[in-house]
Amino acid sequence: MRATRRPSAPHDHPHAHSPATETISLEEKVLARNDAIAAEVRSRLAHRGIVAVNLMSSPGSGKTTLLERTIRDLDGDRPVAVIEGDQETPLDAERIRRTGCAVVQVNTGAGCHLDAAMMRAAVNKLDPSPGTLLFVENVGNLICPALFDLGERAKVVIISVTEGADKPLKYPHMFAVADLVLVNKVDLLPYVDFDLDACRRHVSAVNAGARVLALSATRGDDVDAWYDWLTAPAIR
Amino acid sequence: MHELSIAESVVAAVCERAGDRRVHSVRMRIGAFTAVVPDAMQFCFGLAVEGTVADGARLDIEHRPGAVHCRACGADTDLADMLLLCPCGSADVAVTAGRELQIVSMEVG
């Protein structure tokens, strides 16, 4: 306490006057619990040869449409299952179920992202068979899901050409964690002002290691490169 | 609003360690590359402590700027944003600071 302090000065640090207080050093990661659960999930999945791919994007980028096509096109190659994250409604799970694929819907309510505990509960409920390719469709949001490790093998960020090529610069945290960036709806390129090369440069600026693939989930343009990526040794 | 989940994690961790003792303040370290906004964190912390032994506790935040080490020229540079580029032009950089998201300490009694 400074000697010049007047006795009437407001007590903005009331705790300092109590002799019983003690400062405890913690030095722990805030997300230590989440990360521990994610590590447990990752180990369990690896043990059973299950590969989890976390799909993240803003709402409306085409995650569910991409999954519907991917499930149909990969039909029979290996078991596929989906964990659907949304704030409300089972609508996306119903779309996936119509493809014949095993699916679990997780509704986060007010929550803006999936976390590792939700992932663990969903995996327990789904109980995927060994060798399954497990897609996790995260809550549509380009910010919050970036922070939460789910125990996945890879993170895929999807951006559609109707959103603007500058999204990687506007939402750098999300693009910084991506292993792969998919630019969807390229069938709409003739009708929108979207510079694909600029988008690739912007992804590189925040994440030099990310691959970028452009495709159309509705029309099927260039989806083979996506399937090749999914079956590459690094993912298997 | 991931800050609410994070605030709940912080409050759960400190309350567990505090036991029956009252938590007067908590100190966190937040890096510039973590997507955690200090103002939002303060707001959510105030909500998360309600009804716990940390009710009314003050949150002190140590902000850490981001920094990268360039593998091309060897320079260490502080960065104001997430464009991971060395001033030499190379994008072959390793993030050396800015990803901290830690509970540093707490004051109990």
Side-chain angles (χ1 to χ4, degrees):
Chain A
M1 191 186 296
R2 289 184 302 145
T4 53
R5 185 173 173 175
R6 288 176 292 133
S8 58
H11 279 51
D12 55 348
H13 296 94
H15 56 278
H17 300 274
S18 163
T21 65
E22 178 195 355
T23 300
I24 298 175
S25 176
L26 295 163
E27 289 293 347
E28 67 177 74
K29 286 169 74 181
V30 170
L31 296 173
R33 282 150 206 255
N34 184 81
D35 294 351
I37 296 170
E40 176 201 321
V41 170
R42 182 169 286 116
S43 154
R44 275 174 53 195
L45 295 181
H47 188 65
R48 306 190 67 199
I50 297 167
V51 170
V53 176
N54 183 3
L55 302 178
M56 299 180 284
S57 77
S58 42
S61 67
K63 289 188 296 300
T64 312
T65 303
L66 178 69
L67 277 180
E68 288 172 312
R69 174 177 286 276
T70 302
I71 293 160
R72 290 198 174 100
D73 287 355
L74 294 183
D75 183 38
D77 286 2
R78 66 189 295 185
V80 178
V82 176
I83 294 169
E84 273 291 340
D86 278 302
Q87 282 204 317
E88 299 291 348
T89 82
L91 295 173
D92 279 358
E94 285 162 8
R95 281 176 62 184
I96 297 297
R97 195 167 287 118
R98 283 196 285 274
T99 68
C101 178
V103 59
V104 162
Q105 177 82 49
V106 179
N107 285 129
T108 58
C112 50
H113 57 267
L114 296 177
D115 62 31
M118 296 175 194
M119 173 78 172
R120 180 172 61 185
V123 168
N124 286 341
K125 195 168 165 188
L126 200 53
D127 192 20
S129 52
T132 293
L133 179 57
L134 175 61
F135 291 107
V136 182
E137 185 178 333
N138 218 309
V139 178
N141 180 333
L142 268 184
I143 306 168
C144 311
L147 274 172
F148 295 85
D149 184 5
L150 303 181
E152 71 281 83
R153 179 78 62 86
K155 292 180 196 286
V156 176
V157 176
I158 302 166
I159 170 179
S160 61
V161 301
T162 53
E163 292 173 54
D166 52 3
K167 275 288 187 296
L169 300 180
K170 290 179 170 174
Y171 297 91
H173 298 283
M174 179 57 81
F175 288 88
V177 300
D179 297 294
L180 173 69
V181 174
L182 294 180
V183 180
N184 190 22
K185 308 188 188 178
V186 292
D187 51 311
L188 299 179
L189 275 175
Y191 313 106
V192 293
D193 182 19
F194 185 92
D195 184 336
L196 189 52
D197 290 333
C199 184
R200 288 179 189 276
R201 283 198 306 277
H202 296 331
V203 171
S204 297
V206 297
N207 183 345
R211 272 194 74 187
V212 180
L213 297 175
L215 52 75
S216 165
T218 42
R219 212 171 58 182
D221 310 36
D222 300 320
V223 289
D224 285 344
W226 157 238
Y227 302 149
D228 288 346
W229 183 86
L230 280 173
T231 53
I235 296 302
R236 277 189 188 276
Chain B
M1 198 59 151
H2 48 283
E3 282 85 357
L4 187 56
S5 315
I6 290 167
E8 285 168 347
S9 302
V10 170
V11 171
V14 299
C15 287
E16 191 183 305
R17 286 288 297 272
D20 293 335
R21 291 180 291 180
R22 190 124 203 105
V23 179
H24 298 288
S25 70
V26 174
R27 176 170 288 269
M28 285 183 70
R29 186 178 296 131
I30 300 180
F33 296 162
T34 58
V36 175
V37 180
D39 282 353
M41 195 61 220
Q42 287 285 3
F43 177 76
C44 294
F45 182 81
L47 299 176
V49 293
E50 278 180 20
T52 72
V53 293
D55 204 336
R58 188 183 74 242
L59 176 65
D60 298 319
I61 295 177
E62 288 177 16
H63 177 77
R64 286 294 169 97
V68 292
H69 175 77
C70 178
R71 294 190 190 95
C73 76
D76 290 293
T77 309
D78 288 347
L79 292 181
D81 56 38
M82 282 195 70
L83 297 183
L84 304 180
L85 270 181
C86 178
C88 79
S90 171
D92 187 13
V93 295
V95 173
T96 52
R99 294 203 169 131
E100 302 85 352
L101 185 55
Q102 290 157 328
I103 311 168
V104 179
S105 62
M106 65 176 174
E107 192 183 6
V108 297

